[in-house]
Amino acid sequence: MTHQARINTVVESLTKAPRNIDLTERNGRVKPITEVFGSNVFSLKEMGRALPKPVYKSFIKQLRGNQTLDKVTADAIAHAVKVWAIERGATHFTHWFQPMTDSTAEKHDSFLTLKSTFINGFEEVTALESLSGSQLLQSEPDASSFPSGGMRTTFEARGYTVWDTKSPMFIQEGPHGTAILYVPSVFISYNGEALDEKSVLLRSSEVLNKTALEVLSLISEVDEDHPRAKNVFTTLGTEQEYFLIDRGLYTLRPDLKITGRTLLGGLPPRHQQLEDHYFGKIPTRVLAAISECEHELAKLGVPIKTRHNEVAPAQFEVAPIFEEAMQAVDHNLLTMDILHRVAHRHKLKVLFHEKPFRGVNGSGKHCNWSMSTDQGENLLDPSATPETNLRFLIFLVAVLKAVLDHGDLLRAGIASASNDHRLGAHEAPPGIISVFLGSQLNEVLNSIEENRPVNYDATGTKVQNVRVKGTVLDLKVATLPSIARDLTDRNRTSPFAFTGNKFEFRAVGSKQSVSFPVTLLNSAVASSLQEVKDALQKQMGNKKVASREDQLAVIREFIKKTKAIRFEGDNYSDEWVKEAAKRGLPNIVKSPDAFTRLLKKENADMLRQTGVFSDAELQSRYHILMEKYAKDIMIEAQTLITMVIQQVLPAAYAYRGELADSASKIVSVGLDATAESRVIKELSPVVTQLQDRTQALEKLTNEMTTIMDISKLAVFASDKVVPAMEAVREDADALEKVVSDKLWPLPRYTELFLNI
């Protein structure tokens, strides 16, 4: 790429008019979002209108687990959704599933079918639109072409996608006014093993539901005013961070196109250090794209609530209202897909990589997780007096026990080559998994452990005009009202922080599907709830319901067991690393080390015993994660080598040649060429060193091809190739500072950050 291409692209980005779209109007005004919301979703309400009442009632029973879906019901639903979709322009349908690629997959099949009749011995073909119950329920993609970790081979290709009846079908608008009907599905092998992320998420949700209900039955009196919960489900809110850059400049960066991050490039003089981008005014072009994206997502029933600038330049965030976890996972994947497509229409490129730009904040996907009942009760709501809310405390200590026992497993769930660049970089939680509760809850737990009254004065929450245990603050300004104050402060350095009535799992990467980390979290909590249940039954003896004294005894026991996992300080500090080691908490810095924790006996036994993973599925996940890590590093290394050889070094050669030619001409007329000579002397050793380091990196990539053991390959990539890439980058970035701008072929960070 030439310097002129950079200039032309920058000029074009500055002269583009924002894309305008005509939103659906009513009486000359944009429709309220409530009228648009869910219009492209075949919801239960829509299904109830379309189906005969007995068929609809049969489907609802199936959803509740009372009976399987029979052929009559399946055929009726298939016909109803086909009619609904075709009325909205659908020409195709697809089983939409989540293979183990951190993405989604789909194969489009037309509604078209042909019916043959024979008239006077001649075949007459009639075109029909049809969707049968069997077509709706399952499809058959090639299982050997997706990651399977050895569970499927090329000669064992059969696999099935099966409609997940708890996730509503929806349509996505396609080209030329057409649409596609999407059928959310799970993906399994011929032998029934899970080949996707959703199957295991569903299993983990079911086992958590079962154990949570068993615990509730031991601690809750049931009467007319307090009916027994029949279902416990996890809720999830995913805060999606991302970067938006000009698509023209993106096309001039091979590293961004191939790997999702810049492998070269130095920071401009001004980036995020003035702290003025966070919550700043959203650029016009970006706001136009986000607004269109929100409109598209509203039609799909995705409840986007918040949009704002993030900390780094060109970085943004959207966040939804909390939903049932399986729905939230689907909606987050849809959010990423719609952001990508809408950005394309606005000549922008969305980057979901956790660290696309070195030196500024990366992107995460904070997962706000809780547990709720079908009675609308949040089991992690502490209420105004958490010290007397024993149900809350029981579920709280169960979560603490889960993180203590399986924190390294949670770390494995968020590990990747891309997230390694972000974790522990003083912008995201470190590789040590701990829990932040806040001063008030800590005091509550300490008082129960020590069998004494709660001392709220010790928490520092007593201030003038505070109401209900530190929930209101007087702002000391007459024209301003008192404001609500949360029970806990926020600790953005904590990987797993309690934030009022939920836990915020902050360490999840922006690019990954949240299915896997949430599956592991659900499984760990289900296992710890089983421990709590066993302890309650032992404590209560033959009683039908555990007394307050019984419950407090169990809560106290688990408070003592889980003390090591609670940390209220700065997770970025060196002191915490030392303290965590004393507590026996692992500090897992690199992904290959994290992946091994999947197979650690305590973790593997828990995942098998809960029924979330079989041994084969667990081995498969380990193999896939290790292999993907090694492949990601190999792709990055080969891309970097190509860029250095084909772009960086030629630019340095050209600049050195220009300087030498200039120096020669200056000397030929009797003048001093010291300035030019000085730059040449500064430049040449760096060029030579970059050549040597690039050759060394190429040698390492060649060596990678000879390592057959996937675990050893991933470790080699982490220990040898990654440091070699950093050494190459050091020299390339040094050249970027020296080489003339007119010769530098790659868009610089200044251009990428500011031209949106």
Side-chain angles (χ1 to χ4, degrees):
M1 302 297 178
T2 65
H3 169 259
Q4 191 58 47
R6 279 175 49 211
I7 299 301
N8 293 343
T9 304
V10 169
V11 170
E12 184 184 356
S13 72
L14 295 174
T15 56
K16 285 173 188 164
R19 165 185 158 88
N20 289 315
I21 62 167
D22 292 325
L23 297 178
T24 307
E25 293 187 355
R26 185 190 65 184
N27 300 327
R29 295 175 179 269
V30 174
K31 274 188 179 181
I33 195 168
T34 51
E35 293 187 20
V36 176
F37 190 81
S39 57
N40 284 350
V41 180
F42 193 65
S43 61
L44 286 177
K45 186 183 293 184
E46 193 73 43
M47 188 183 290
R49 284 196 290 260
L51 292 175
K53 285 185 179 180
V55 176
Y56 179 69
K57 192 176 292 186
S58 172
F59 178 71
I60 295 300
K61 285 183 179 178
Q62 182 272 326
L63 276 185
R64 291 174 178 158
N66 295 332
Q67 63 182 52
T68 58
L69 195 63
D70 59 86
K71 186 178 185 304
V72 172
T73 304
D75 284 339
I77 294 173
H79 175 74
V81 75
K82 180 205 71 174
V83 171
W84 174 85
I86 289 174
E87 286 175 350
R88 288 157 178 77
T91 58
H92 291 70
F93 68 95
T94 179
H95 282 78
W96 183 64
F97 58 102
Q98 303 171 27
M100 291 178 278
T101 58
D102 278 336
S103 186
T104 59
E106 56 194 66
K107 178 188 74 172
H108 298 181
D109 286 309
S110 171
F111 289 123
L112 175 68
T113 188
L114 298 178
K115 181 180 179 181
S116 295
T117 56
F118 290 87
I119 302 174
N120 297 324
F122 294 94
E123 184 180 20
E124 183 76 20
V125 176
T126 304
L128 302 173
E129 291 167 321
S130 71
L131 176 65
S132 67
S134 59
Q135 287 176 310
L136 173 64
L137 288 176
Q138 75 176 63
S139 182
E140 185 183 328
D142 182 353
S144 67
S145 298
F146 291 98
S148 68
M151 287 195 295
R152 295 276 87 187
T153 63
T154 304
F155 63 89
E156 297 174 316
R158 196 179 297 279
Y160 301 105
T161 52
V162 182
W163 175 30
D164 170 21
T165 54
K166 292 187 177 180
S167 294
M169 293 176 276
F170 57 91
I171 60 168
Q172 288 237 52
E173 294 166 7
H176 319 303
T178 64
I180 302 101
L181 172 65
Y182 280 71
V183 183
S185 305
V186 299
F187 181 36
I188 59 174
S189 74
Y190 181 68
N191 297 320
E193 298 108 342
L195 295 176
D196 66 339
E197 303 287 15
K198 196 171 195 181
S199 297
V200 290
L201 177 61
L202 288 165
R203 293 176 193 167
S204 72
S205 297
E206 287 186 3
V207 71
L208 189 145
N209 171 48
K210 178 177 178 294
T211 52
L213 287 174
E214 289 171 348
V215 169
L216 286 173
S217 71
L218 298 179
I219 64 174
S220 303
E221 295 279 2
V222 179
D223 53 41
E224 290 184 3
D225 295 328
H226 303 88
R228 186 180 301 280
K230 296 179 181 178
N231 185 32
V232 171
F233 56 92
T234 54
T235 59
L236 189 65
T238 53
E239 303 170 27
Q240 180 67 59
E241 296 175 345
Y242 58 96
F243 283 80
L244 279 172
I245 62 172
D246 182 80
R247 190 153 55 90
L249 293 171
Y250 165 82
T251 62
L252 300 178
R253 293 283 316 210
D255 46 1
L256 280 175
K257 291 171 66 178
I258 297 171
T259 71
R261 75 179 182 102
T262 53
L263 303 174
L264 306 169
L267 284 174
R270 175 178 171 177
H271 41 92
Q272 68 181 42
Q273 70 269 52
L274 294 180
E275 302 174 333
D276 57 349
H277 191 259
Y278 190 59
F279 279 27
K281 185 176 177 60
I282 302 174
T284 302
R285 187 174 165 202
V286 171
L287 185 58
I290 296 176
S291 179
E292 183 177 348
C293 180
E294 288 176 340
H295 183 73
E296 295 290 320
L297 288 169
K299 289 188 286 186
L300 293 168
V302 181
I304 297 297
K305 180 73 172 176
T306 303
R307 63 190 184 201
H308 63 82
N309 285 6
E310 257 299 333
V311 171
Q315 188 185 31
F316 307 93
E317 178 183 299
V318 292
I321 298 171
F322 294 10
E323 303 177 275
E324 190 275 328
M326 285 177 287
Q327 183 89 310
V329 169
D330 284 355
H331 282 173
N332 177 250
L333 292 167
L334 278 175
T335 298
M336 296 172 73
D337 177 50
I338 297 298
L339 274 170
H340 168 78
R341 288 201 269 168
V342 171
H344 194 83
R345 299 172 196 163
H346 289 259
K347 308 299 182 187
L348 293 166
K349 176 63 182 177
V350 63
L351 304 176
F352 292 117
H353 193 286
E354 285 80 0
K355 195 74 170 178
F357 302 105
R358 186 180 191 177
V360 297
N361 277 21
S363 298
K365 190 180 330 229
H366 302 167
C367 291
N368 296 277
W369 178 94
S370 188
M371 293 173 281
S372 293
T373 72
D374 56 0
Q375 305 297 318
E377 298 172 308
N378 182 351
L379 298 176
L380 290 179
D381 182 0
S383 71
T385 53
E387 65 271 25
T388 64
N389 190 341
L390 300 190
R391 185 184 68 181
F392 160 72
L393 291 170
I394 280 175
F395 279 88
L396 177 69
V397 296
V399 175
L400 293 177
K401 188 65 162 56
V403 180
L404 175 67
D405 289 348
H406 304 290
D408 56 347
L409 182 65
L410 299 184
R411 175 66 178 87
I414 50 92
S416 67
S418 52
N419 212 15
D420 277 359
H421 294 284
R422 170 179 165 264
L423 295 178
H426 285 233
E427 62 182 79
I432 306 166
I433 301 295
S434 63
V435 178
F436 169 83
L437 293 179
S439 57
Q440 182 166 345
L441 281 182
N442 260 304
E443 168 58 18
V444 168
L445 296 193
N446 290 339
S447 69
I448 293 172
E449 179 188 0
E450 297 162 14
N451 201 18
R452 59 170 175 79
V454 178
N455 179 13
Y456 281 113
D457 290 333
T459 69
T461 59
K462 288 281 186 181
V463 297
Q464 186 178 354
N465 206 23
V466 171
R467 174 171 56 85
V468 194
K469 299 293 188 293
T471 60
V472 170
L473 283 176
D474 182 358
L475 299 181
K476 306 293 177 64
V477 179
T479 57
L480 294 177
S482 296
I483 65 167
R485 171 174 174 166
D486 291 303
L487 294 178
T488 62
D489 200 349
R490 288 192 67 189
N491 185 340
R492 64 181 301 275
T493 72
S494 175
F496 200 81
F498 188 77
T499 56
N501 59 3
K502 62 191 183 303
F503 280 98
E504 184 179 17
F505 194 6
R506 295 179 53 87
V508 180
S510 57
K511 189 172 69 172
Q512 74 177 116
S513 165
V514 297
S515 291
F516 189 50
V518 172
T519 294
L520 298 180
L521 176 58
N522 287 352
S523 304
V525 173
S527 178
S528 66
L529 281 170
Q530 182 64 45
E531 289 185 53
V532 170
K533 174 195 160 189
D534 293 342
L536 281 168
Q537 289 177 325
K538 181 179 179 182
Q539 182 70 31
M540 62 193 281
N542 295 325
K543 300 172 192 168
K544 287 186 177 181
V545 177
S547 66
R548 290 188 64 83
E549 291 73 22
D550 293 335
Q551 294 178 48
L552 275 171
V554 171
I555 291 167
R556 187 173 294 115
E557 174 190 343
F558 277 81
I559 289 172
K560 292 176 181 178
K561 287 180 178 179
T562 60
K563 206 160 187 176
I565 202 65
R566 290 155 47 196
F567 180 64
E568 300 298 300
D570 183 1
N571 285 256
Y572 294 162
S573 66
D574 293 335
E575 291 75 17
W576 169 232
V577 174
K578 297 172 185 174
E579 173 62 24
K582 291 179 184 176
R583 298 186 186 190
L585 302 180
N587 183 10
I588 305 172
V589 178
K590 298 179 179 180
S591 285
D593 183 17
F595 298 146
T596 63
R597 308 308 171 101
L598 284 171
L599 303 183
K600 193 177 88 172
K601 186 178 187 307
E602 294 84 351
N603 294 330
D605 286 349
M606 180 273 291
L607 291 171
R608 284 192 293 261
Q609 288 165 8
T610 54
V612 176
F613 287 93
S614 68
D615 188 60
E617 290 167 340
L618 203 52
Q619 292 286 343
S620 162
R621 291 304 195 279
Y622 170 77
H623 187 278
I624 289 169
L625 290 168
M626 281 289 198
E627 183 178 39
K628 185 177 187 304
Y629 178 88
K631 287 179 177 178
D632 284 343
I633 299 300
M634 173 66 97
I635 290 168
E636 287 190 353
Q638 291 177 332
T639 302
L640 179 58
I641 291 167
T642 301
M643 291 176 67
V644 169
I645 292 174
Q646 295 182 0
Q647 294 179 288
V648 176
L649 285 174
Y653 299 151
Y655 184 49
R656 187 167 60 173
E658 280 191 6
L659 287 171
D661 186 50
S662 176
S664 177
K665 289 177 180 177
I666 290 171
V667 170
S668 70
V669 296
L671 298 176
D672 183 10
T674 301
E676 288 79 3
S677 299
R678 185 180 297 157
V679 176
I680 293 173
K681 288 178 182 178
E682 178 186 346
L683 193 65
S684 292
V686 180
V687 171
T688 301
Q689 183 167 270
L690 178 57
Q691 287 176 321
D692 293 342
R693 286 177 167 177
T694 303
Q695 289 175 0
L697 177 59
E698 192 165 16
K699 183 179 178 182
L700 289 172
T701 60
N702 291 335
E703 191 173 343
M704 283 184 72
T705 63
T706 67
I707 302 174
M708 297 296 106
D709 184 287
I710 195 63
S711 301
K712 292 179 180 177
L713 180 62
V715 171
F716 182 87
S718 175
D719 293 348
K720 301 293 184 182
V721 179
V722 171
M725 289 173 61
E726 287 299 309
V728 169
R729 178 169 191 161
E730 179 185 344
D731 290 333
D733 288 353
L735 289 178
E736 183 185 17
K737 293 179 180 178
V738 179
V739 171
S740 171
D741 184 68
K742 71 176 184 180
L743 295 174
W744 195 253
L746 301 168
R748 300 175 187 269
Y749 275 22
T750 304
E751 296 156 349
L752 294 168
F753 286 161
L754 301 180
N755 288 286
I756 53 172

